[in-house]
Each structure stands twice: as C-alpha cells, then as structure tokens.
C-alpha cells in the first residue's frame, strides 16, 4: 500500500461481465481534466452532481460510447476528492477501453479498496465504517446487510464515545495531580476513580460480548446434524436446504463424508453440516466418517440432535448425547408420522434448548425447526440487541484496551504513582483509537483495505 494518494485513480465499480450499464469511477485532482480529454463535447466544465450525456473517445480519439457523467466535487464526494462517475454501456470491451482511455490520459488503476481508503484518509469515515462498506458489499443475507448498514452509520464508534471521554477525564484528573506535586490524589478520590474505571471496563466487556453475535452474522452459524445411523439426518438436511442434496436410503451408514451447505435461514447465514451417523461398532470407512462427525460436533455453534421417534432410546443415542451435551443443542424427534416408541431420559430433555417433533419425510413441522435454529442460534438478535463489534480486529483492540484498563485499575488500587496509571490509561485509549483508526499503522490499513474489491 505504497500507492500515492495524490495520483488520480480509476477503476470499474461494477463487476466484470456483460450488463445493461457499467460504472467507471475516477477520483483525484486530475479527474476533471482527464474527463475533458476523454470526451468530444465536454472540456471538464461539469456542474456538480448533475448528470450529463457526453461522447467518450478512445485512445485514438475515435468515438467510443455515449455515457452519462456525474461530477462530485471534493470534499463533498465519497472519497473527499473530485470524483467522476461514468455510466456507460455494460460491455466489458467498452469499460476496458474507457479505462485505457483514462490511463492513457494520466490516471492510475486503483488498488482494491483504494476509493474507500481515500475516504478514510480524508476523514469521510472512520475505520469501522470502512469495514462496514466492505461487509455491506459482501453481505449475503438481509440480516448481514442490516448489521453492516448500522455499522456504516457509526454504531460502534458512537458506542465507544462515552467510554473514551470518561477515560480522558480520568487521565486528565491524574495528570493534573502529577503537575502539581503537592496536589496528591486523596485516597477517597482514588476509590472514586477506581469505580469510574471499573464502569468503563464493564462497558467494554459488554461490547466485547456482542462480538459473539457479530461473528455469527458475519461468518454464519455452524449448525451440525448429529444422530445415530438412519435417524433421518440427511432427510432433515435436505428439508432445510429445500433440495435433495444428500443421499437418503434406508441403509444405516449411508452418509460417509460430511456435507456442508451455506443457507439463509430467515436472514441468518447458516452453514449446515450433515454428518455420518454415529455408532460405536462399524467398519473402517464408516469409522473414519464417524470420527469426522465427532470433530464437527465439537466445532458446532449449534447441534441438531436427531432421534428416531419410532425407535427406543438406545445406547447409541446415549453415546451421541454424551458427545453433544457440552454444546447447545436442539432435540429433533424425527419420524412422527410413525408410531411412537421413543422415551427420552429426563436429563436429555432438561439439557436441550428446545424439543421439536417433525417428519422430514412428509415435511411436517420443519418451520418450527427453522424458527428454533434462528432463535437459539442468535439469541442476541432475538433480544433486538445486535452486534456492535462485527469483526475479530475490533474485538482484539477492545481486549487490549480492557487489559490496559485492568492494569490501570490495579495500579490505582495498589497506591502506585499516578504516572503509571496515566501511562496505562493512555495505552488503553490508544487501543480504542485503533478501532476507529485514529491511531493506526500503514500495515493495519493495508491489511484491511486489501480485502476490498477493486473499484470500492
Ligand atoms: N417414516 C419416516 N421415515 C423417514 C423420515 N425421515 C427419514 N426417514 C427414512 O429414514 C431412512 C434414513 O434416512 P436418512 O435421512 O438417510 O437418515 P440418516 O440419519 O442420514 O442416515 P445415515 O446417513 O445412514 O446416518 C430413509 O429410508 C428415510 O426415508 C420420517 O420423517 N418419517
Ligand atoms: Mg445420512
């Protein structure tokens, strides 16, 4: 990311391929001049935010396309610089030639995320908002899009504001005491400051905890089907997918390799995993499948423990329950279309989050299962308190900040000199500043923006 921020950049903002329209975007001080040289009937005298139809020329000065140009003068533009958006016909050949035309007239091809990087560097948005732009573009479910949108409006930054103010105040208080040596902080003031510090620390803890929901919204909820052979896991899997993805037969041990599919359950992204039926004695291929099933169980966010309503609860079920039980799980009583023989041990009933009776064969009550997955998989969302912390980077910064505050708290309580406390508080503030990008390094920025697509 050694790109020169003073150069004018250009990139297609729409995906490659054929479409009715495509957009090419220019940003930088030379944008208007470049457009003037690119068009036959416009010398760059563009009105702000008023689209205008112009004829674009290729590198040989031959007419190339009629395009609609919109000029956004800086600083009131996405990047904070002069921006020109060219809406042209959506042929890859046309966009390529427009790009070449811009490059020949002095623009440079933008790097991934460079438009947003410039927006950040020009103070148009902070780092959490820049990350939200990426998340919004990458969102695959309505829920992901909604959370990204909230973040784009500065949700996390706003939530951090009071904590930062409070820390600055506490630090200034102690600094004043340092300046005026005779003004030692009285013990009762120390106690009071400790309390205020603890409150801030708790706020940061709450934010950290919201990452659990954030992670699920961002990466998806891993839901694993587990149960003994023939209980109907693959049938349930197919029902949730609404397609005959997995092979279903009446032969126990049908599924060998785990199957994974990404689905959208009421806006929640879910990675659904069908596994081999778990039983103790089996031949080697099946045993390998079972070993994988157990691995998947240990990595799941939520387990659907499938039992056969038409059969008695067996040692096999008990063995699975022991593996499943440390995790949050839903009891899926499948095959309710058959006469019931199943009696679950009290403990199993007590441990599960919810019991759902259904028939995968007939597709009965599958809706209730979907509801259960969404409800228990994403409890934060259910309470209406959505993720404020949406990625691991933000969470790491919060953890760092919290541990500095803990040190500061100990120093304060331990009667250490104000100097140490202030040092730790400043470090904590620095960590918080990294979340929004106020304190940050080139490497961090490069890491974030390189994951963007070209043209954003
Ligand atoms: N009557 C009835 N049969 C079902 C139901 N669900 C599944 N089955 C039947 O049960 C048998 C096993 O179904 P699968 O979905 O392959 O079971 P599984 O748990 O994936 O089995 P393995 O992959 O061998 O572990 C098939 O013959 C299904 O048609 C149901 O709700 N009612
Ligand atoms: Mg199966």
């Amino acid at each position: 990311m050694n790109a020169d921020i003073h150069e004018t950049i250009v990139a297609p903002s729409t995906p490659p391929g054929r479409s009715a329209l495509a957009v090419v975007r220019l940003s930088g001080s030379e944008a208007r001049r470049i457009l003037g040289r690119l068009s036959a009937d416009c010398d760059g005298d563009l009105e702000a935010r008023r689209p205008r139809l112009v004829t674009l020329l290729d590198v040989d000065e031959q007419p190339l396309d009629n395009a609609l140009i919109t000029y956004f003068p800086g600083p009131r533009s996405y990047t904070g610089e002069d921006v020109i958006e060219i809406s042209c016909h959506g042929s890859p050949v046309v966009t390529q030639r427009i790009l070449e035309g811009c490059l020949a007239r002095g623009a440079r091809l933008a790097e991934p995320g460079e438009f947003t990087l410039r927006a950040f560097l020009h103070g148009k948005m902070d780092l959490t908002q820049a990350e939200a732009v990426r998340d919004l573009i990458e969102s695959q479910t309505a829920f992901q899009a909604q959370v990204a949108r909230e973040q784009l409006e500065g949700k996390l930054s706003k939530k951090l504001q009071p904590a930062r103010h409070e820390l600055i105040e506490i630090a200034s208080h102690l600094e004043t005491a340092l300046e005026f040596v005779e003004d030692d902080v009285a013990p009762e003031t120390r106690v009071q400051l400790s309390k205020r510090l603890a409150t801030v620390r708790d706020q940061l803890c709450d934010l950290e905890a919201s990452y659990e929901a954030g992670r699920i919204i961002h990466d998806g909820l891993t839901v694993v089907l587990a149960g003994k052979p023939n209980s109907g896991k693959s049938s349930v899997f197919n029902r949730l997918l609404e397609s005959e993805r997995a092979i279903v037969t009446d032969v126990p041990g049908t599924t060998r390799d785990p199957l994974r599919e990404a689905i959208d359950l009421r806006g929640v992204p879910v990675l659904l995993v069908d596994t081999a039926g778990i039983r103790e004695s089996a031949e080697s291929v099946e045993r390998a499948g079972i070993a994988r099933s157990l691995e998947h169980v240990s990595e799941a966010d939520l387990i659907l423990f499938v039992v056969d309503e038409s059969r008695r609860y067996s040692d096999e079920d008990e063995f699975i329950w022991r593996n499943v039980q440390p995790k949050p799980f839903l009891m899926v009583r499948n095959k309710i279309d058959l006469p019931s023989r199943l009696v679950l041990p009290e403990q199993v009933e007590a441990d599960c989050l919810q019991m759902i009776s259904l028939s995968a064969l007939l597709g009965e009550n599958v809706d209730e299962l979907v509801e259960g997955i969404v409800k228990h998989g994403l409890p934060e969302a259910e309470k209406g308190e959505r993720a404020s912390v949406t990625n691991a980077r933000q969470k790491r910064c919060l953890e760092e900040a919290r541990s500095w505050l803990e040190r500061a708290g100990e120093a304060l309580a331990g009667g250490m000199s104000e100097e140490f406390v202030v040092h730790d508080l400043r470090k904590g503030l620095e960590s918080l500043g990294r979340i929004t990008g106020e304190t940050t390094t080139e490497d961090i920025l490069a890491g974030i923006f390189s994951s963007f697509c070209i043209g954003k």
Side-chain angles (χ1 to χ4, degrees):
M1 206 195 52
N2 300 315
D4 188 343
I5 191 180
H6 302 295
E7 287 174 317
T8 295
I9 50 173
V10 65
S13 288
T14 38
R18 226 160 283 285
S19 52
L21 293 174
V23 174
V24 173
R25 186 151 60 162
L26 273 163
S27 176
S29 55
E30 290 291 289
R32 261 207 301 174
R33 191 190 58 77
I34 291 170
L35 183 83
R37 295 186 50 203
L38 195 69
S39 62
D41 41 12
C42 159
D43 52 8
D45 55 337
L46 293 157
E47 250 186 89
R49 288 176 296 280
R50 182 175 286 249
R52 172 168 163 190
L53 194 65
V54 304
T55 306
L56 297 181
L57 305 173
D58 65 12
V59 270
D60 303 321
E61 308 281 322
Q62 294 305 308
L64 170 63
D65 191 12
N66 290 334
L68 205 58
I69 307 295
T70 319
Y71 169 49
F72 303 90
R76 285 183 59 202
S77 68
Y78 181 72
T79 58
E81 309 169 330
D82 283 359
V83 168
I84 288 179
E85 281 184 13
I86 304 171
S87 300
C88 56
H89 288 102
S91 147
V93 182
V94 173
T95 45
Q96 185 58 34
R97 288 174 76 199
I98 292 176
L99 270 183
E100 283 164 7
C102 292
L103 297 176
R105 288 161 179 99
R108 162 172 71 71
L109 197 63
E111 292 184 7
E114 199 173 354
F115 290 92
T116 310
L117 170 65
R118 289 187 175 195
F120 166 72
L121 293 173
H122 290 130
K124 302 293 289 186
M125 58 175 75
D126 70 26
L127 215 45
T128 65
Q129 292 169 308
E131 285 172 320
V133 169
R134 179 195 53 199
D135 292 347
L136 185 58
I137 291 173
E138 285 178 358
S139 63
Q140 291 185 347
T141 72
F143 201 40
Q144 282 175 324
Q146 198 180 333
V147 170
R149 182 76 243 125
E150 286 169 5
Q151 194 71 293
L152 192 53
E153 272 159 20
K155 182 178 183 184
L156 177 57
S157 322
K158 275 181 211 144
K159 286 203 167 179
L160 282 173
Q161 252 343 306
R164 298 178 68 182
H165 275 142
E166 179 72 348
L167 289 180
I168 291 169
E169 260 190 53
I170 298 173
S172 323
H173 197 113
L174 293 165
E175 271 164 349
T176 317
L178 272 173
E179 269 174 48
F180 304 98
V181 186
E182 64 279 13
D183 261 9
D184 252 5
V185 178
E188 56 274 20
T189 315
R190 271 185 179 253
V191 171
Q192 213 190 9
L193 290 180
S194 282
K195 275 193 192 145
R196 285 169 62 185
L197 203 54
T199 311
V200 176
R201 205 193 47 222
D202 290 348
Q203 286 166 357
L204 298 190
C205 274
D206 287 349
L207 280 175
E208 251 179 81
S210 82
Y211 175 60
E212 188 48 26
R215 182 186 64 80
I216 288 170
I217 292 161
H218 195 267
D219 303 342
L221 180 78
T222 305
V223 177
V224 175
L225 286 146
K228 66 183 171 192
N230 241 7
S231 54
K233 299 175 294 301
S234 299
S235 306
V236 173
F237 182 74
N238 288 346
R239 278 289 172 196
L240 290 172
L241 251 57
E242 295 175 356
S243 92
E244 301 300 310
R245 169 79 174 81
I247 298 172
V248 169
T249 73
D250 56 2
V251 183
T254 302
T255 306
R256 297 286 169 96
D257 285 330
L259 297 177
R260 312 156 134 264
E261 284 293 330
I263 49 168
D264 174 351
L265 288 186
R266 311 226 168 128
V268 179
V270 169
L271 183 70
L272 193 64
V273 187
D274 182 21
T275 63
I278 299 169
R279 56 177 163 184
E280 270 181 299
S281 55
E283 43 96 9
S284 64
V285 180
E286 196 184 341
R287 262 211 312 276
I290 292 170
R292 287 197 192 173
S293 302
L294 291 173
E295 262 171 46
H296 278 290
V297 162
S298 67
E299 283 161 16
D301 293 312
L302 182 69
I303 293 165
L304 309 182
F305 180 9
V306 182
V307 284
D308 188 336
E309 185 70 42
S310 69
R311 292 171 64 190
R312 282 184 225 291
Y313 187 81
S314 65
D315 289 348
E316 281 171 353
D317 292 307
E318 180 73 11
F319 175 73
I320 295 160
W321 174 65
R322 291 200 183 285
N323 280 283
V324 157
Q325 184 259 341
K327 291 267 175 177
F329 72 98
L330 305 182
M331 231 25 247
V332 179
R333 303 174 70 131
N334 187 33
K335 311 198 187 182
I336 50 163
D337 51 292
L338 299 176
S340 171
R341 283 209 200 85
L342 182 74
V343 180
L344 285 178
E346 267 175 34
Q347 194 56 47
V348 177
E349 286 198 19
D351 280 355
C352 76
L353 292 167
Q354 190 185 340
M355 194 139 58
I356 296 137
S357 296
L358 55 80
S359 165
L361 186 72
L362 305 180
E364 251 170 55
N365 256 353
V366 178
D367 272 1
E368 203 187 320
L369 177 60
V370 172
E371 229 162 76
I373 296 172
V374 173
K375 177 172 164 196
H376 296 288
L378 206 54
E380 285 288 316
E382 240 237 325
K383 284 179 224 142
E385 171 53 51
R386 282 200 201 92
S388 309
V389 176
T390 43
N391 65 44
R393 183 193 72 82
Q394 298 164 354
K395 171 146 191 273
R396 264 197 316 276
C397 294
L398 271 175
E399 279 167 356
E400 260 173 47
R402 185 170 50 84
S403 80
W404 282 115
L405 298 198
E406 268 155 22
R407 272 184 57 153
E410 280 161 24
L412 201 57
M416 284 169 78
S417 157
E418 289 83 10
E419 224 169 316
F420 296 105
V421 186
V422 169
H423 168 265
D424 295 345
L425 287 178
R426 292 279 166 214
K427 283 287 195 188
L429 274 163
E430 224 176 273
S431 305
L432 291 183
R434 267 201 293 280
I435 296 177
T436 48
E438 267 158 68
T439 44
T440 193
T441 63
E442 281 249 334
D443 304 356
I444 294 177
L445 291 182
I448 293 170
F449 288 96
S450 61
S451 62
F452 276 61
C453 47
I454 291 258
K456 194 61 223 180

